[in-house]
Amino acid sequence: MAGSWGRFNIVSLVLGFAFLYLPIVLLVVYSFNESRLVTVWSGFSTKWYVELFSNRGLMDAAWVTARVAFLSATVATVLGTMGAIALTRYTRFRGRLLFSGMVFAPLVMPEVITGLSLLLLFVAINFDRGFFTVTIAHITFSMCFVAVVVQSRLMSFDQSLEEAALDLGATPLKAFFQVTLPVIMPAVVSGWMLAFTLSLDDLVIASFTSGPGATTLPMKIYSQVRLGVTPEINAVCTILIGIVATGVIIASVITKRQEVQRRRDEQAAARITA
Amino acid sequence: MARFLSAIAARLVIAVPYLWLLVFFLAPFLIVFKISLSEPALSMPPYMPAFDLADGISGLIEKVRTLSFGNYFWLLDDPLYTNAYLSSIWIAGVSTLITLAVGYPIAYGMARAPAAIRPTLLMLVILPFWTSFLIRVYAWIGILKPEGLLNQFLMFTGLIDEPLIILNTTTAIYIGIVYSYLPFMVLPLYSTLEKMDESLIEAARDLGCSRTSAFWKVTFPLSLPGVVAGCMLVFIPAVGEFVIPDLLGGSQTLMIGKTLWTEFFNNRDWPVSSAVAVILLLILIVPIMLFQRSQARSREAGR
């Protein structure tokens, strides 16, 4: 849809983005506030960041969260990519409808239901709650997000490329790793990042499935937020926002570069064949 | 040999994620249902099992006969729970409509923007989604509270003399839901609006339609798939939302996600919280099916 980009459109975009970003900007700004009263500005200071790093409980929780997020994102990316391939490549297999239902349902399922049901499963099979139960829970819901992201890339993928590789004698396995995977790699990477941030972010499911010794950062933040707004929490949040924003920006730069490279390769190939 | 390996790989690609979801997504629901039928008990785990495999078939039949739907009757009898369900649906519904009203102009503006800056605008909408949900809700506490930034600003400009009480009211929940779920609304709307054929609107204008009636007669109906997907993406999770009503809403606002949480963590009543979850799921099953269908349709169209 192109055409006139009227004043109304520009105004609604400006207002919309202001609404989306202002709260986050204010939070970041007030993490550098000197006063303990979060809403009264009394001068620039980084002392809350210094205090943060001496807070053992918070640091431990951050470490647990980082490990859970890394492990769950990695497993979820493998499982989610497999699921996406199953859904796009194999249009007919027994129980496909149930399978696609199970892939899409977790995207909208209220977290309290997912969390409660997983906890009851772990209790029923007598699985000790802790690091691994949180990780399994995170794999389960984030693999569905990965599957959706990868699936949409797979659908726009030209299948004749893989067929050509097969005709030239590659085994399907080899064709996948040497032809398909490199092409869908940007989607796989962004799926991993999405899974990582979803895990980093999750409070509700982690609260249900966690056990002693596996308190994650959102759980820690939540227990402190309930007591009120504090500058330390603003500082933690700012650091988290910083990490995520850096990750997203780096990823988008990499994808853009790959895109440019790919286009150049295509042009070169076109010139040779012409 | 290689062919044999490939055949196994093809099976595995389907079987591994399938089994994982069966075990960790579907099976847990059956357990929730089972426990919702059992009696609470003061032990660990805190419920009396309704079935036990050790009972054998005859035992099972015996158990089924005495199966207690007591938790459900109790839930439906207690106005606390029925009110919590109704107000959750109401709050989620109203916030979904507000989100649609706020999100539509943004998506429309993005779709009409010059093609060169569209990817950047898209990225700007997605970026807040990557930042923690909890953090974004938390940010609003500092803004909405009586001595918070919004009231300071309004008093500074002289619009009000006394601070507005917004935090711990239903209004704060609306703001929280609209804010947190806005990207979920904008993205599907944008993708339908962006694909729309501009010449259709021009044709309507040429045939004498005014700008507004062209919008309501052409643009809006054509964007309905996006509207449905966006509304479902907001409505379904919002009904069971816990973090927003807990942090922004007051103690008098009832939402079912919060009720379930309290029942589970504070009252340690697992059977009742399971029954709450089962009913919530039953309420949401129709919207979830609608969402699945709209997804499947858009995937088929994308082929």
Side-chain angles (χ1 to χ4, degrees), chain B residues 35 41-42 55 61 67 70 84-85 91 113 119 135 155 174 195 213 215 225 241 278 287 295:
Chain B
I35 290 174
L42 282 174
D55 293 346
I61 295 169
L67 213 55
Y85 282 114
I91 290 174
I135 293 177
M155 301 230 274
Y174 289 138
K195 276 182 281 185
S213 72
F215 173 80
E241 185 53 56
V278 171
Q295 283 297 303

PDB file of all heavy atoms in Angstrom, chain B residues 35 41-42 55 61 67 70 84-85 91 113 119 135 155 174 195 213 215 225 241 278 287 295:
ATOM      1  N   ILE B  35      -6.719 -33.560  38.623  1.00  0.00           N
ATOM      2  CA  ILE B  35      -6.574 -33.023  39.980  1.00  0.00           C
ATOM      3  C   ILE B  35      -7.749 -32.121  40.336  1.00  0.00           C
ATOM      4  O   ILE B  35      -8.136 -32.026  41.504  1.00  0.00           O
ATOM      5  CB  ILE B  35      -5.216 -32.311  40.115  1.00  0.00           C
ATOM      6  CG1 ILE B  35      -4.127 -33.381  40.084  1.00  0.00           C
ATOM      7  CG2 ILE B  35      -5.118 -31.507  41.398  1.00  0.00           C
ATOM      8  CD1 ILE B  35      -2.743 -32.869  40.073  1.00  0.00           C
ATOM      9  N   ALA B  41      -6.171 -31.908  50.459  1.00  0.00           N
ATOM     10  CA  ALA B  41      -5.724 -32.617  51.652  1.00  0.00           C
ATOM     11  C   ALA B  41      -4.507 -31.899  52.209  1.00  0.00           C
ATOM     12  O   ALA B  41      -3.807 -31.188  51.484  1.00  0.00           O
ATOM     13  CB  ALA B  41      -5.365 -34.048  51.299  1.00  0.00           C
ATOM     14  N   LEU B  42      -4.275 -32.074  53.483  1.00  0.00           N
ATOM     15  CA  LEU B  42      -3.136 -31.402  54.102  1.00  0.00           C
ATOM     16  C   LEU B  42      -1.913 -32.292  54.015  1.00  0.00           C
ATOM     17  O   LEU B  42      -1.495 -32.893  54.991  1.00  0.00           O
ATOM     18  CB  LEU B  42      -3.444 -31.089  55.567  1.00  0.00           C
ATOM     19  CG  LEU B  42      -4.342 -29.880  55.793  1.00  0.00           C
ATOM     20  CD1 LEU B  42      -4.695 -29.758  57.264  1.00  0.00           C
ATOM     21  CD2 LEU B  42      -3.640 -28.616  55.313  1.00  0.00           C
ATOM     22  N   ASP B  55      -5.116 -49.114  41.650  1.00  0.00           N
ATOM     23  CA  ASP B  55      -6.451 -49.642  41.947  1.00  0.00           C
ATOM     24  C   ASP B  55      -6.932 -50.672  40.928  1.00  0.00           C
ATOM     25  O   ASP B  55      -7.835 -51.451  41.220  1.00  0.00           O
ATOM     26  CB  ASP B  55      -7.492 -48.502  41.953  1.00  0.00           C
ATOM     27  CG  ASP B  55      -7.249 -47.550  43.095  1.00  0.00           C
ATOM     28  OD1 ASP B  55      -6.482 -47.919  43.990  1.00  0.00           O
ATOM     29  OD2 ASP B  55      -7.829 -46.443  43.080  1.00  0.00           O
ATOM     30  N   ILE B  61     -13.323 -47.937  38.171  1.00  0.00           N
ATOM     31  CA  ILE B  61     -14.765 -47.750  37.989  1.00  0.00           C
ATOM     32  C   ILE B  61     -15.388 -47.254  39.290  1.00  0.00           C
ATOM     33  O   ILE B  61     -16.203 -46.333  39.299  1.00  0.00           O
ATOM     34  CB  ILE B  61     -15.418 -49.063  37.522  1.00  0.00           C
ATOM     35  CG1 ILE B  61     -14.878 -49.422  36.125  1.00  0.00           C
ATOM     36  CG2 ILE B  61     -16.935 -48.942  37.500  1.00  0.00           C
ATOM     37  CD1 ILE B  61     -15.230 -50.795  35.664  1.00  0.00           C
ATOM     38  N   LEU B  67     -16.438 -39.924  41.810  1.00  0.00           N
ATOM     39  CA  LEU B  67     -15.651 -38.772  41.371  1.00  0.00           C
ATOM     40  C   LEU B  67     -16.303 -37.469  41.817  1.00  0.00           C
ATOM     41  O   LEU B  67     -17.507 -37.319  41.711  1.00  0.00           O
ATOM     42  CB  LEU B  67     -15.586 -38.801  39.847  1.00  0.00           C
ATOM     43  CG  LEU B  67     -14.299 -38.265  39.263  1.00  0.00           C
ATOM     44  CD1 LEU B  67     -13.114 -38.998  39.859  1.00  0.00           C
ATOM     45  CD2 LEU B  67     -14.319 -38.476  37.771  1.00  0.00           C
ATOM     46  N   GLY B  70     -17.297 -31.751  42.980  1.00  0.00           N
ATOM     47  CA  GLY B  70     -17.553 -30.800  44.056  1.00  0.00           C
ATOM     48  C   GLY B  70     -16.863 -29.466  43.851  1.00  0.00           C
ATOM     49  O   GLY B  70     -17.453 -28.401  44.051  1.00  0.00           O
ATOM     50  N   ALA B  84     -15.198 -13.018  39.146  1.00  0.00           N
ATOM     51  CA  ALA B  84     -13.828 -12.911  38.635  1.00  0.00           C
ATOM     52  C   ALA B  84     -13.793 -13.296  37.154  1.00  0.00           C
ATOM     53  O   ALA B  84     -13.148 -12.617  36.357  1.00  0.00           O
ATOM     54  CB  ALA B  84     -12.883 -13.793  39.438  1.00  0.00           C
ATOM     55  N   TYR B  85     -14.508 -14.376  36.791  1.00  0.00           N
ATOM     56  CA  TYR B  85     -14.546 -14.761  35.371  1.00  0.00           C
ATOM     57  C   TYR B  85     -15.179 -13.662  34.533  1.00  0.00           C
ATOM     58  O   TYR B  85     -14.635 -13.244  33.512  1.00  0.00           O
ATOM     59  CB  TYR B  85     -15.352 -16.051  35.177  1.00  0.00           C
ATOM     60  CG  TYR B  85     -14.596 -17.299  35.544  1.00  0.00           C
ATOM     61  CD1 TYR B  85     -14.983 -18.086  36.608  1.00  0.00           C
ATOM     62  CD2 TYR B  85     -13.473 -17.671  34.811  1.00  0.00           C
ATOM     63  CE1 TYR B  85     -14.281 -19.233  36.951  1.00  0.00           C
ATOM     64  CE2 TYR B  85     -12.764 -18.818  35.137  1.00  0.00           C
ATOM     65  CZ  TYR B  85     -13.175 -19.594  36.200  1.00  0.00           C
ATOM     66  OH  TYR B  85     -12.472 -20.702  36.523  1.00  0.00           O
ATOM     67  N   ILE B  91     -13.019  -6.967  31.216  1.00  0.00           N
ATOM     68  CA  ILE B  91     -11.812  -6.131  31.161  1.00  0.00           C
ATOM     69  C   ILE B  91     -10.996  -6.462  29.913  1.00  0.00           C
ATOM     70  O   ILE B  91     -10.552  -5.561  29.186  1.00  0.00           O
ATOM     71  CB  ILE B  91     -10.957  -6.310  32.439  1.00  0.00           C
ATOM     72  CG1 ILE B  91     -11.683  -5.686  33.639  1.00  0.00           C
ATOM     73  CG2 ILE B  91      -9.576  -5.675  32.273  1.00  0.00           C
ATOM     74  CD1 ILE B  91     -11.016  -5.915  34.964  1.00  0.00           C
ATOM     75  N   ALA B 113       3.281   4.527   4.995  1.00  0.00           N
ATOM     76  CA  ALA B 113       4.567   5.223   5.029  1.00  0.00           C
ATOM     77  C   ALA B 113       5.380   4.875   3.785  1.00  0.00           C
ATOM     78  O   ALA B 113       5.150   3.834   3.175  1.00  0.00           O
ATOM     79  CB  ALA B 113       5.328   4.818   6.281  1.00  0.00           C
ATOM     80  N   PRO B 119      10.582  -0.807   7.073  1.00  0.00           N
ATOM     81  CA  PRO B 119      11.275  -1.775   7.936  1.00  0.00           C
ATOM     82  C   PRO B 119      11.678  -1.172   9.278  1.00  0.00           C
ATOM     83  O   PRO B 119      11.584  -1.831  10.313  1.00  0.00           O
ATOM     84  CB  PRO B 119      12.505  -2.163   7.113  1.00  0.00           C
ATOM     85  CG  PRO B 119      12.137  -1.884   5.710  1.00  0.00           C
ATOM     86  CD  PRO B 119      11.215  -0.701   5.756  1.00  0.00           C
ATOM     87  N   ILE B 135       9.039  -5.482  33.180  1.00  0.00           N
ATOM     88  CA  ILE B 135       9.652  -4.155  33.258  1.00  0.00           C
ATOM     89  C   ILE B 135       8.700  -3.098  32.710  1.00  0.00           C
ATOM     90  O   ILE B 135       8.537  -2.025  33.283  1.00  0.00           O
ATOM     91  CB  ILE B 135      10.976  -4.128  32.456  1.00  0.00           C
ATOM     92  CG1 ILE B 135      12.001  -5.025  33.128  1.00  0.00           C
ATOM     93  CG2 ILE B 135      11.500  -2.711  32.309  1.00  0.00           C
ATOM     94  CD1 ILE B 135      13.303  -5.135  32.380  1.00  0.00           C
ATOM     95  N   MET B 155      -0.276  18.497  37.187  1.00  0.00           N
ATOM     96  CA  MET B 155      -0.387  19.567  38.172  1.00  0.00           C
ATOM     97  C   MET B 155       0.480  20.744  37.765  1.00  0.00           C
ATOM     98  O   MET B 155       0.118  21.897  37.951  1.00  0.00           O
ATOM     99  CB  MET B 155       0.027  19.061  39.546  1.00  0.00           C
ATOM    100  CG  MET B 155      -0.834  17.907  39.988  1.00  0.00           C
ATOM    101  SD  MET B 155      -1.507  18.068  41.619  1.00  0.00           S
ATOM    102  CE  MET B 155      -0.227  17.436  42.616  1.00  0.00           C
ATOM    103  N   TYR B 174      -6.556  -1.262  32.352  1.00  0.00           N
ATOM    104  CA  TYR B 174      -6.766  -1.003  30.925  1.00  0.00           C
ATOM    105  C   TYR B 174      -5.496  -0.447  30.290  1.00  0.00           C
ATOM    106  O   TYR B 174      -5.053  -0.915  29.248  1.00  0.00           O
ATOM    107  CB  TYR B 174      -7.907   0.006  30.705  1.00  0.00           C
ATOM    108  CG  TYR B 174      -9.285  -0.537  31.008  1.00  0.00           C
ATOM    109  CD1 TYR B 174     -10.222   0.227  31.696  1.00  0.00           C
ATOM    110  CD2 TYR B 174      -9.652  -1.814  30.600  1.00  0.00           C
ATOM    111  CE1 TYR B 174     -11.494  -0.261  31.982  1.00  0.00           C
ATOM    112  CE2 TYR B 174     -10.917  -2.309  30.877  1.00  0.00           C
ATOM    113  CZ  TYR B 174     -11.830  -1.534  31.566  1.00  0.00           C
ATOM    114  OH  TYR B 174     -13.070  -2.028  31.848  1.00  0.00           O
ATOM    115  N   LYS B 195      -0.490  -5.373   2.474  1.00  0.00           N
ATOM    116  CA  LYS B 195      -0.717  -6.155   1.260  1.00  0.00           C
ATOM    117  C   LYS B 195      -1.885  -5.615   0.427  1.00  0.00           C
ATOM    118  O   LYS B 195      -2.095  -6.021  -0.693  1.00  0.00           O
ATOM    119  CB  LYS B 195      -0.999  -7.615   1.633  1.00  0.00           C
ATOM    120  CG  LYS B 195       0.281  -8.419   1.852  1.00  0.00           C
ATOM    121  CD  LYS B 195      -0.029  -9.867   2.176  1.00  0.00           C
ATOM    122  CE  LYS B 195      -0.425 -10.031   3.606  1.00  0.00           C
ATOM    123  NZ  LYS B 195      -0.635 -11.356   4.087  1.00  0.00           N
ATOM    124  N   SER B 213     -16.059   7.087   3.951  1.00  0.00           N
ATOM    125  CA  SER B 213     -16.884   5.939   3.608  1.00  0.00           C
ATOM    126  C   SER B 213     -16.076   4.927   2.799  1.00  0.00           C
ATOM    127  O   SER B 213     -16.331   3.726   2.883  1.00  0.00           O
ATOM    128  CB  SER B 213     -18.159   6.362   2.884  1.00  0.00           C
ATOM    129  OG  SER B 213     -17.859   6.789   1.599  1.00  0.00           O
ATOM    130  N   PHE B 215     -13.029   4.252   3.477  1.00  0.00           N
ATOM    131  CA  PHE B 215     -12.334   3.504   4.530  1.00  0.00           C
ATOM    132  C   PHE B 215     -13.245   2.427   5.109  1.00  0.00           C
ATOM    133  O   PHE B 215     -12.871   1.265   5.204  1.00  0.00           O
ATOM    134  CB  PHE B 215     -11.854   4.448   5.637  1.00  0.00           C
ATOM    135  CG  PHE B 215     -11.281   3.711   6.814  1.00  0.00           C
ATOM    136  CD1 PHE B 215      -9.980   3.231   6.776  1.00  0.00           C
ATOM    137  CD2 PHE B 215     -12.052   3.472   7.940  1.00  0.00           C
ATOM    138  CE1 PHE B 215      -9.464   2.520   7.844  1.00  0.00           C
ATOM    139  CE2 PHE B 215     -11.532   2.764   9.011  1.00  0.00           C
ATOM    140  CZ  PHE B 215     -10.239   2.290   8.963  1.00  0.00           C
ATOM    141  N   PRO B 225      -9.260  -9.924   8.444  1.00  0.00           N
ATOM    142  CA  PRO B 225      -8.427 -11.022   8.946  1.00  0.00           C
ATOM    143  C   PRO B 225      -7.389 -10.542   9.971  1.00  0.00           C
ATOM    144  O   PRO B 225      -7.180 -11.176  10.997  1.00  0.00           O
ATOM    145  CB  PRO B 225      -7.741 -11.555   7.683  1.00  0.00           C
ATOM    146  CG  PRO B 225      -8.624 -11.162   6.571  1.00  0.00           C
ATOM    147  CD  PRO B 225      -9.290  -9.877   6.980  1.00  0.00           C
ATOM    148  N   GLU B 241      -4.587 -12.854  32.347  1.00  0.00           N
ATOM    149  CA  GLU B 241      -3.445 -12.039  32.760  1.00  0.00           C
ATOM    150  C   GLU B 241      -3.285 -12.005  34.278  1.00  0.00           C
ATOM    151  O   GLU B 241      -4.254 -11.870  35.019  1.00  0.00           O
ATOM    152  CB  GLU B 241      -3.639 -10.624  32.206  1.00  0.00           C
ATOM    153  CG  GLU B 241      -2.503  -9.669  32.436  1.00  0.00           C
ATOM    154  CD  GLU B 241      -1.182 -10.221  31.955  1.00  0.00           C
ATOM    155  OE1 GLU B 241      -1.059 -10.588  30.772  1.00  0.00           O
ATOM    156  OE2 GLU B 241      -0.287 -10.299  32.791  1.00  0.00           O
ATOM    157  N   VAL B 278      -9.338 -25.161  34.495  1.00  0.00           N
ATOM    158  CA  VAL B 278     -10.132 -25.909  33.514  1.00  0.00           C
ATOM    159  C   VAL B 278     -11.270 -25.041  32.979  1.00  0.00           C
ATOM    160  O   VAL B 278     -11.485 -24.967  31.766  1.00  0.00           O
ATOM    161  CB  VAL B 278     -10.687 -27.217  34.124  1.00  0.00           C
ATOM    162  CG1 VAL B 278     -11.689 -27.874  33.181  1.00  0.00           C
ATOM    163  CG2 VAL B 278      -9.554 -28.185  34.418  1.00  0.00           C
ATOM    164  N   PRO B 287     -12.408 -18.772  21.419  1.00  0.00           N
ATOM    165  CA  PRO B 287     -11.461 -17.816  20.831  1.00  0.00           C
ATOM    166  C   PRO B 287     -10.173 -18.474  20.337  1.00  0.00           C
ATOM    167  O   PRO B 287      -9.650 -18.079  19.291  1.00  0.00           O
ATOM    168  CB  PRO B 287     -11.147 -16.849  21.981  1.00  0.00           C
ATOM    169  CG  PRO B 287     -12.143 -17.087  23.021  1.00  0.00           C
ATOM    170  CD  PRO B 287     -12.858 -18.354  22.755  1.00  0.00           C
ATOM    171  N   GLN B 295      -5.119 -18.313  11.691  1.00  0.00           N
ATOM    172  CA  GLN B 295      -3.712 -18.590  11.404  1.00  0.00           C
ATOM    173  C   GLN B 295      -3.594 -19.539  10.222  1.00  0.00           C
ATOM    174  O   GLN B 295      -2.856 -19.285   9.285  1.00  0.00           O
ATOM    175  CB  GLN B 295      -3.049 -19.239  12.638  1.00  0.00           C
ATOM    176  CG  GLN B 295      -2.731 -18.276  13.739  1.00  0.00           C
ATOM    177  CD  GLN B 295      -1.734 -17.244  13.314  1.00  0.00           C
ATOM    178  OE1 GLN B 295      -0.633 -17.567  12.892  1.00  0.00           O
ATOM    179  NE2 GLN B 295      -2.114 -15.987  13.400  1.00  0.00           N
TER     180      GLN B 295
END
